[in-house]
Amino acid sequence: MVKAQYIGGFRLEKYIIGVDLGGTKITTAISDLDGQILSKTTIATLSSEGEKKVVERIIETIESVLKESKISKDKVLTIGVGSPGIINPKEGKIMMAANLPFEDYCLVEPIKAYFNIPCYLENDANAAALGEFTFGTGRGKKNFIYVTVSTGVGGAAIIDGKLYHGNTSNAFEVGHMILDPRSEIKCNCGLYGDVEALCSGTAIAKRAANAVKQGKETLLSDVLDISTKDVHEAYLKKDAVAIEILHEAFDYMGIAVANLITIFDPEMVVIGGGVSSVGSLFFDRVKASAKKSCLDFIFDPVEIMPSSLGQETGVFGALAIAKSSIIE
Amino acid sequence: MVKAQYIGGFRLEKYIIGVDLGGTKITTAISDLDGQILSKTTIATLSSEGEKKVVERIIETIESVLKESKISKDKVLTIGVGSPGIINPKEGKIMMAANLPFEDYCLVEPIKAYFNIPCYLENDANAAALGEFTFGTGRGKKNFIYVTVSTGVGGAAIIDGKLYHGNTSNAFEVGHMILDPRSEIKCNCGLYGDVEALCSGTAIAKRAANAVKQGKETLLSDVLDISTKDVHEAYLKKDAVAIEILHEAFDYMGIAVANLITIFDPEMVVIGGGVSSVGSLFFDRVKASAKKSCLDFIFDPVEIMPSSLGQETGVFGALAIAKSSIIE
């Protein structure tokens, strides 16, 4: 934790830096404490070049936003990094990440050492939740849940105004809650019928490919390598197969949301990620299904909202990590 | 909150009182802050006599334990009350409770007024969780989940050492999480395939009665008004129907436990309640099913333990409510 008031004797200009580390690109921004971005840059991660090179590229992006914003580094209080994979936030380590060259690697150390600025690391879903809580739709909510429905399904809970990590920092693996114990659909993780197997972009695309394979009559038959976007487009053209697939995935997602509400009794559920970005098609269906799967007195007070940060979720999440480490 | 250190200038004898209010009986105890009970009494609730009479009977039990323990009431820091039903703990109100004569009723007021001692109210499942956390198996655990499997299924979560209430004080309605969306078994609450519909004592007894009705060959055919205990007895005699019913209920319970672990990443899950009191028959099956429904790296660090308070859960829960309101 960094105590803002000890940085200087009189009113300070204070800034934070956020690094959204992804398997394909790194986006880094510098902002004030209100999340007003002064400079932002994106470069390729080039994971295949190994951990040392990727760290150098992260440092490069930080230098770039400092230079471009003309802010001297002694005015930067903290650096936050959001990363996919299994993260140990206490030690600032990436334990394992599918598309990154890090394994049991302390990422915050070289960044801290290079800039002499405290650096904090969180899992990208936690970062996104913090981003919505700090700068987005969930601002000011005390008990708030964030779910991202994209290639996979992830999320995080803000409890009493703080990110909930759990005992081993693996809390809120919402994608791997069992949703349908009778389902024969297997998740990449090995479980059957979990949220990710039934509601993710991967699940939707797989189901569409299977329908085509089974010879079902659908516009998707003409599509090579079907994506969620293709299924959505076919849906808008009233393709029966696409409608069935999306309705089923969204109905399942509604049950998952209902269960989270039943357990957490939150003020708000914010849903982000590519699959949810189709808007009311997604939200109307998810809300209707969630209401049916939840007791009224628990469900009715809860707001279910789309993410307000959209494409910027990653970088605002990283900035929020930085901000959350400051005691003001 | 009561500040212990302000009660007197030198070392004090300090006591707490806990009232376990139930639909059929009231059990009240006085203990020291370590939960050493000095006196305990149980009387019938006599709900049908109305709210005023029940409050009088609660007061009577408190006077009785004070008298019997010979502790003067100025040495009692707080009184905790655990009650079934929908509770507003902030206002000390019972909003609604199936087997009690209270509706939107502030229960703490008359008790506080009569004894001039602060009084706090919690839902009985929350009280039980606090009891396990303060005096039982979960002692000292920071993130800990309590589930009770009895006539219904309830529970509570202790997060960062504090009872988690949620936004509207209705968090952790674990009995009403949807467990099997394809199930045609309806819960009393109206939902289909929720935890209570599939795992509770009521569910087990209902399923047994149905099996008998369907003419299945079972020892339970001879039993009038089948209870969970009867099903358990038939199970021990290797009755195939009883085995199938219990295995299914416990397997479902394992999935519910797995989902809670996946979401909370707790240090420990403590399970209490009558259905779980059959011991290893319950725990072995629930653990095996939970392990199959959870990612290893999340499941393996979690301890799943039986309640250590057993029949005394209610009264220790009430004492824990009292204790949790004291800042030491």
Side-chain angles (χ1 to χ4, degrees), chain B residues 127-143:
Chain B
L130 270 181
E132 289 291 344
F133 173 67
T134 313
F135 303 119
T137 312
R139 206 177 323 197
K141 302 292 170 193
K142 251 182 101 187
N143 294 306

Side-chain angles (χ1 to χ4, degrees), chain A residues 167 172 178 259 263-265, chain B residues 164 167 172 178 259 263 265:
Chain A
N167 182 41
F172 217 82
I178 305 296
N259 282 351
I263 288 301
F264 279 101
D265 179 18
Chain B
Y164 179 67
N167 182 40
F172 217 82
I178 305 296
N259 282 351
I263 288 300
D265 179 20

Side-chain angles (χ1 to χ4, degrees), chain B residues 94-169:
Chain B
I94 300 180
M95 304 312 292
M96 189 172 114
N99 301 310
L100 288 171
F102 302 112
E103 209 187 301
D104 197 4
Y105 183 86
C106 183
L107 183 66
V108 303
E109 210 45 69
I111 300 173
K112 209 154 68 176
Y114 188 94
F115 292 102
N116 197 24
I117 299 171
C119 180
Y120 298 91
L121 176 70
E122 284 285 354
N123 161 291
D124 54 359
N126 285 351
L130 270 181
E132 289 291 344
F133 173 67
T134 313
F135 303 119
T137 312
R139 206 177 323 197
K141 302 292 170 193
K142 251 182 101 187
N143 294 306
F144 146 79
I145 281 172
Y146 174 78
V147 179
T148 170
V149 191
S150 142
T151 318
V153 177
I158 304 286
I159 292 181
D160 287 337
K162 278 188 345 204
L163 188 61
Y164 179 67
H165 283 109
N167 182 40
T168 64
S169 297

Side-chain angles (χ1 to χ4, degrees), chain A residues 100-117:
Chain A
L100 287 171
F102 302 112
E103 209 187 301
D104 196 4
Y105 184 86
C106 182
L107 183 66
V108 302
E109 210 44 71
I111 299 172
K112 207 153 70 177
Y114 189 93
F115 292 101
N116 197 25
I117 299 172

Side-chain angles (χ1 to χ4, degrees), chain B residues 176-243:
Chain B
H176 305 297
M177 285 201 304
I178 305 296
L179 199 47
D180 183 351
R182 302 195 209 187
S183 172
E184 286 168 1
I185 302 179
K186 195 175 179 177
C187 180
N188 288 334
C189 75
L191 296 173
Y192 286 84
D194 68 7
V195 176
E196 201 158 293
L198 299 172
C199 311
S200 65
T202 313
I204 290 167
K206 247 193 215 170
R207 205 170 288 184
N210 278 343
V212 171
K213 222 160 129 191
Q214 285 163 21
K216 288 195 181 165
E217 202 181 308
T218 164
L219 298 168
L220 295 162
S221 307
D222 305 332
V223 184
L224 267 179
D225 207 5
I226 302 169
S227 69
T228 316
K229 203 167 155 251
D230 299 321
V231 183
H232 181 224
E233 275 166 17
Y235 175 99
L236 293 176
K237 290 175 188 155
K238 303 200 190 310
D239 181 81
V241 167
I243 290 172

Side-chain angles (χ1 to χ4, degrees), chain A residues 219-236:
Chain A
L219 297 168
L220 295 162
S221 307
D222 305 330
V223 184
L224 266 180
D225 208 5
I226 303 169
S227 69
T228 316
K229 205 168 154 251
D230 299 321
V231 183
H232 180 225
E233 275 167 15
Y235 175 98
L236 294 176

